[in-house]
Amino acid sequence: MGALLSSGKPHDARRAARLALCLAHLAALTAAACGCRKPADASADAGAAAPAGDAGADAAPSALASTEGQAAPAAPAWPPSDKPLLGVTAFVATVYKEPRDTSKKLGYLRVGSRVPRSAEPAGTAGCPGGWYAIEPHGYLCVGEEATLDLNDPILKAAGPGPNMRTALPYRYAFVRAVLPLYLRVPTAEEQRKSEFKLDEHLSWFEENKATVQRVILGANDVAIDARGVPLAGKQLGELGLGKNSLELGEGALLGGEGDGDPIPFWLEGGKRLIRNISDFKVPDYAVFADRARRFTGLSLIGSFATGPESLSRRFAITTDLRLAPATKIKPDTGSPWHGVELTDALTLPLAFVRARSARDVQIQGDKATPGKELPFRDIVPLTGRMRRIEGVKYYRTRDQRYVSQLDVGLAVAPSAWPEVAEKGEKWIEVSITHQTLVLWEGKRPVYATLVSTGQAGVADPKTTTATVRGIFRIRNKHITATMDSNESSSVGGRAETTADAPSASRGAKPEKGGSSKERSPKKPGASAAAKPAAGEKVVPRKGDGEYGVTRRRGEGTYALKDVPYIQYFASGYALHAAYWHDVFGTPRSHGCINLSPIDAHRLFLWTDPPVPPGWHAINTGEELGEGTTVIVHE
């Protein structure tokens, strides 16, 4: 007789003992220190969850409905009009617990954010402009990072901030050929001087544009509710009055309102009317600040076309207000894959089909016979019964078939409940063997999906790319932050610091400099370009264009800008969206837990504590609330 998979029914005795032992072992573990490995741009990708009209400010996650099908209550206008406001003018502005920069860091805001502030400063120690209290907690220094002047052009240039009503908070694109990140609209001559064989490239692009700029339906083409849950009965691309990705023009796909957006006010006349806020500093006369390497992922907030004086090229605006030539980037829409909301009708146990060649199985006696083909990533409800034939487990489906353990990933209830479930709290369960994630509220499962954990599976995370196992709590949450190609980020994980804490993975060390700026940890053996001493003149290098010396020359990696919905639960290990792949259900990462954009967005809105309106990232703790429990097991 087949054994049952889920708790509350007869089990295979050995399996029950093994699961109970596993959970007991998890409870004894502490957080490990190696991780999601080698992020690249780090220090806190600073942020601001949305000023007026932006989605990040639309509603605090805590206000979102938790009952299936229930609409979220109307959110108050953001920012409030009846309170004095403070605006962020640096790419990142750190929030401190007390009015001094040696106190605990609570989180950070991003350029363009506006938040309610106190009428008067709490002091000026180390901050001539004054330390102002902001909502809901903490202090910001008015000066280099923030202003009381809400007409500051940087605030307007930065736009509304990340859109938290959608699965991807920005528009994204990938670099197809090395490009300079311009600080102002370059002339034709400046472009030819800065970009190798530009005329040949433009000729190729004109001939192939229709093919190379083509997109497919992606993450933002799935209709979701206010909780981030995909709407039942809606087909991919069915967005009501909204246009899907196939209906958008190039301008909108690269972050603009449409194809006819004008050159922004701060770039008119071939000048730049605001300062460079990126972490790559260059002289005021520079045409561009750094280059983006091939395969770099860029996050975009606008785009515009130019006239013949600038070769009639379109430029996309990055979140740190630099310009990427549109002919050298490809719009990307992310994976439309997502998990499923669990209900009384569809609940655990269930299986996700992970093999493309999977078939159901008929069992007669001790013989298993392959049957009909199973759609890839199909969701198969199970009864809880299991048969083992020739060493392979087969799980009984509710429609009286079987599926092989070789083809599916399981989401099942545990045989012994962890303490957090007994208390009725929220918790996240991740199975490395099955590549599944389940959201729990006490003992009730509410959502299940496929993930991609570390490539090394259940190996030792201290020496491999395996994901750390144990019981943790979310340490900090970032609407977005930058990682490198190995998914490392110096925003990684220590509860007593902000997201700009250096990653502890494999000895990576942050560059000197920025407490709250994005920085790239230098990998062992990497030959980064040497930085000039203070006051030393920067000498351009041959072949790099006029001002194109790159910080990561020869490092063999590339940046993934604004990785969405990052939640660190251990040093160097995070749950986060992956907009660059669609192999969820297969181990893929360098230690982090990759989710599809839709699932990562849903998870981010569900976990505690919520990121306050106007903020871009928080550290959990007594001031803003303890993080949701994360349990990772084999």
Side-chain angles (χ1 to χ4, degrees), residues 393-603:
K393 296 177 182 176
Y394 295 91
Y395 308 114
R396 182 76 161 176
T397 70
R398 291 187 195 173
D399 58 359
Q400 310 306 308
R401 299 173 294 161
Y402 286 88
V403 290
S404 168
Q405 71 174 100
L406 304 178
D407 296 329
V408 301
L410 293 186
V412 301
S415 60
W417 294 105
E419 182 180 358
V420 66
E422 297 288 358
K423 291 180 178 179
E425 298 177 5
K426 292 179 179 179
W427 55 292
I428 301 164
E429 180 189 16
V430 177
S431 167
I432 293 175
T433 299
H434 294 291
Q435 295 292 289
T436 54
L437 175 148
V438 179
L439 305 185
W440 294 86
E441 294 177 357
K443 298 180 181 180
R444 182 172 71 92
V446 297
Y447 196 84
T449 191
L450 290 171
V451 297
S452 289
T453 63
Q455 293 172 345
V458 295
D460 184 355
K462 293 182 179 179
T463 58
T464 70
T465 58
T467 300
V468 67
R469 299 182 290 281
I471 298 178
F472 314 93
R473 278 191 179 270
I474 289 173
R475 296 181 172 196
N476 47 58
K477 298 175 65 171
H478 309 254
I479 293 176
T480 62
T482 294
M483 292 181 163
D484 73 8
S485 54
N486 290 321
E487 295 181 291
S488 255
S489 173
S490 63
V491 299
R494 293 187 300 166
E496 70 275 14
T497 61
T498 54
D500 60 352
S503 169
S505 66
R506 292 188 178 177
K509 295 182 179 179
E511 295 180 1
K512 289 184 178 180
S515 62
S516 63
K517 302 272 194 274
E518 293 185 39
R519 298 290 176 188
S520 302
K522 183 179 178 182
K523 289 187 180 181
S527 56
K531 288 192 171 183
E536 181 181 342
K537 184 177 179 180
V538 177
V539 179
R541 297 184 183 181
K542 183 177 179 180
D544 264 347
E546 191 173 0
Y547 312 108
V549 178
T550 63
R551 180 175 51 226
R552 293 183 298 277
R553 171 177 292 279
E555 189 172 340
T557 187
Y558 50 89
L560 296 165
K561 298 289 187 181
D562 282 316
V563 174
Y565 308 123
I566 299 175
Q567 303 187 77
Y568 279 96
F569 57 88
S571 293
Y573 296 91
L575 298 140
H576 65 77
Y579 60 79
W580 52 91
H581 77 73
D582 188 10
V583 294
F584 306 103
T586 301
R588 162 68 163 71
S589 80
H590 286 72
C592 283
I593 297 169
N594 289 185
L595 296 100
S596 74
I598 295 167
D599 289 338
H601 178 237
R602 197 272 188 264
L603 180 64

Side-chain angles (χ1 to χ4, degrees), residues 325-344:
T327 63
K328 291 189 173 181
I329 59 178
K330 177 178 175 55
D332 189 79
T333 54
S335 169
W337 159 254
H338 59 81
V340 61
E341 189 82 346
L342 300 177
T343 65
D344 291 340

Side-chain angles (χ1 to χ4, degrees), residues 169-408:
Y170 300 109
R171 290 290 176 179
Y172 289 84
F174 283 95
V175 175
R176 64 160 58 90
V178 176
L179 58 82
L181 289 166
Y182 291 104
L183 291 172
R184 56 178 174 80
V185 180
T187 65
E189 180 183 357
E190 289 168 336
Q191 292 178 58
R192 291 190 173 102
K193 188 175 182 180
S194 303
E195 300 180 55
F196 184 64
K197 294 185 177 180
L198 180 58
D199 290 324
E200 291 181 21
H201 162 76
L202 293 179
S203 176
W204 168 86
F205 183 79
E206 191 62 30
E207 293 178 8
N208 296 279
K209 178 178 178 180
T211 300
V212 300
Q213 296 298 79
R214 184 180 300 144
V215 298
I216 60 175
L217 294 176
N220 285 356
D221 300 308
V222 175
I224 57 177
D225 66 18
R227 300 167 297 141
V229 176
L231 295 176
K234 293 283 188 179
Q235 299 297 314
L236 179 62
E238 187 179 344
L239 301 178
L241 298 178
K243 291 184 177 181
N244 65 39
S245 296
L246 300 183
E247 298 166 333
L248 295 175
E250 183 184 35
L253 289 171
L254 295 178
E257 293 295 323
D259 288 347
D261 292 3
I263 294 175
F265 75 93
W266 51 279
L267 293 169
E268 290 177 348
K271 300 179 180 179
R272 183 182 178 95
L273 303 179
I274 60 174
R275 70 179 185 276
N276 171 26
I277 64 168
S278 76
D279 68 336
F280 195 87
K281 303 306 178 186
V282 292
D284 291 340
Y285 53 81
V287 176
F288 65 89
D290 204 3
R291 293 179 182 272
R293 301 176 68 135
R294 193 178 177 204
F295 306 126
T296 294
L298 299 179
S299 51
L300 309 171
I301 60 171
S303 72
F304 59 90
T306 62
E309 70 283 354
S310 294
L311 300 177
S312 300
R313 289 175 98 183
R314 174 176 292 278
F315 290 88
I317 305 171
T318 65
T319 52
D320 60 4
L321 305 181
R322 292 182 284 181
L323 308 179
T327 63
K328 291 189 173 181
I329 59 178
K330 177 178 175 55
D332 189 79
T333 54
S335 169
W337 159 254
H338 59 81
V340 61
E341 189 82 346
L342 300 177
T343 65
D344 291 340
L346 178 61
T347 190
L348 305 186
L350 57 80
F352 292 94
V353 177
R354 294 199 289 159
R356 293 185 180 275
S357 58
R359 293 181 176 274
D360 64 16
V361 175
Q362 298 293 330
I363 294 181
Q364 293 183 336
D366 290 331
K367 183 177 181 181
T369 304
K372 295 182 297 183
E373 186 173 345
L374 295 171
F376 180 57
R377 287 181 178 160
D378 198 16
I379 298 168
V380 183
L382 303 177
T383 65
R385 293 189 175 277
M386 181 267 292
R387 291 283 306 274
R388 187 191 301 267
I389 298 177
E390 296 181 352
V392 177
K393 296 177 182 176
Y394 295 91
Y395 308 114
R396 182 76 161 176
T397 70
R398 291 187 195 173
D399 58 359
Q400 310 306 308
R401 299 173 294 161
Y402 286 88
V403 290
S404 168
Q405 71 174 100
L406 304 178
D407 296 329
V408 301

